[in-house]
Amino acid sequence: MAAPPLPGPLAHLAPLLGHYGYWAVGAVVLVEDFGVPAPGETILLAAGVYAGAGRLNVVAVAVVAFAAAVLGDNIGYLIGRVGGRAFVHRWGRYVFLTPERFEAAEEFFGRHGGKIVTVARFIEGLRQANGIIAGTTGMPWRRFLAFNALGAALWVGLWTTLAYEVGSHITTVYDEVSRYQIYVLVAVAVLIAAFAVRHCVRRRRAC
């Protein structure tokens, strides 16, 4: 079966998907998720379109993308866990991130990091850095793994299903959904700020 034409910004991925199929999906999603600039979400959409046209198997696309997303974030977590703390303690003071403030950030992420890890999967920029941040702040690995897997399942399930169902119209749907990402990002920032303020207030009262 001939590969379907990919719409708009997805078109440049046609040769990659045509030659490497599932390997391309796995590799691009994997490297994006530990910080390498790569079109992970875009190739997931393109693969969903291919699956809708019968060129790929939609279940295989979802399984490969899910495994790559979880593995990629865990590599990022390892990078943050091994090298991040030393880097922050050495250079953090130059951006006013003292050891005391970093300790408070670790405690905050330990309590609320699960929400951040899950939501970050849908936000460009946070998706790529989320594992490194979790590792740097010392979030327990099992907790990170659970919420990371949840976020990956929701992310892969949403975009694979939409691309599979709407086919060549996916770019229109994606543009509409992306318009609301900024609102999600603002809401997450406000939520984090509120938790941080409450945490600071509680610590001051305890002193």
Side-chain angles (χ1 to χ4, degrees):
M1 181 180 295
L6 292 174
L10 305 184
H12 71 284
L13 292 172
L16 191 62
L17 275 175
H19 281 91
Y20 300 106
Y22 305 112
W23 288 104
V25 176
V28 175
V29 171
L30 173 71
V31 298
E32 183 198 40
D33 277 13
F34 61 83
V36 177
E41 195 162 78
T42 308
I43 201 167
L44 182 60
L45 295 173
V49 173
Y50 268 42
R55 178 73 176 183
L56 295 173
N57 181 285
V58 68
V59 175
V61 168
V63 170
V64 168
F66 172 78
V70 173
L71 179 58
D73 266 350
N74 275 273
I75 293 174
Y77 177 90
L78 182 62
I79 292 171
R81 191 77 174 194
V82 172
R85 287 176 58 87
F87 182 85
V88 169
H89 284 306
R90 183 172 182 181
W91 302 104
R93 63 182 180 274
Y94 295 109
V95 290
F96 307 106
L97 185 58
T98 63
E100 292 75 19
R101 290 179 180 176
F102 183 67
E103 182 181 347
E106 283 185 310
E107 185 176 344
F108 170 76
F109 204 91
R111 290 183 180 181
H112 309 293
K115 306 179 188 73
I116 299 170
V117 168
T118 302
V119 174
R121 172 66 58 180
F122 293 89
I123 302 172
E124 188 69 27
L126 289 182
R127 180 170 63 252
Q128 292 84 351
N130 132 66
I132 295 174
I133 293 172
T136 302
T137 55
M139 184 180 187
W141 177 72
R142 289 184 180 179
R143 178 176 170 80
F144 169 75
L145 179 62
F147 284 103
N148 176 43
L150 173 61
L154 294 174
W155 179 70
V156 170
L158 171 67
W159 291 124
T160 303
T161 302
L162 279 178
Y164 179 80
E165 293 294 336
V166 305
S168 61
H169 301 293
I170 185 58
T171 51
T172 303
V173 175
Y174 182 75
D175 288 342
E176 286 299 312
V177 173
S178 296
R179 287 174 55 191
Y180 297 96
Q181 279 192 350
I182 185 63
Y183 300 109
V184 174
L185 183 58
V186 170
V188 170
V190 170
L191 181 64
I192 292 173
F195 278 127
V197 169
R198 188 180 69 172
H199 175 69
C200 291
V201 169
R202 285 182 174 178
R203 290 193 67 174
R204 288 183 178 178
R205 287 177 179 174
C207 294

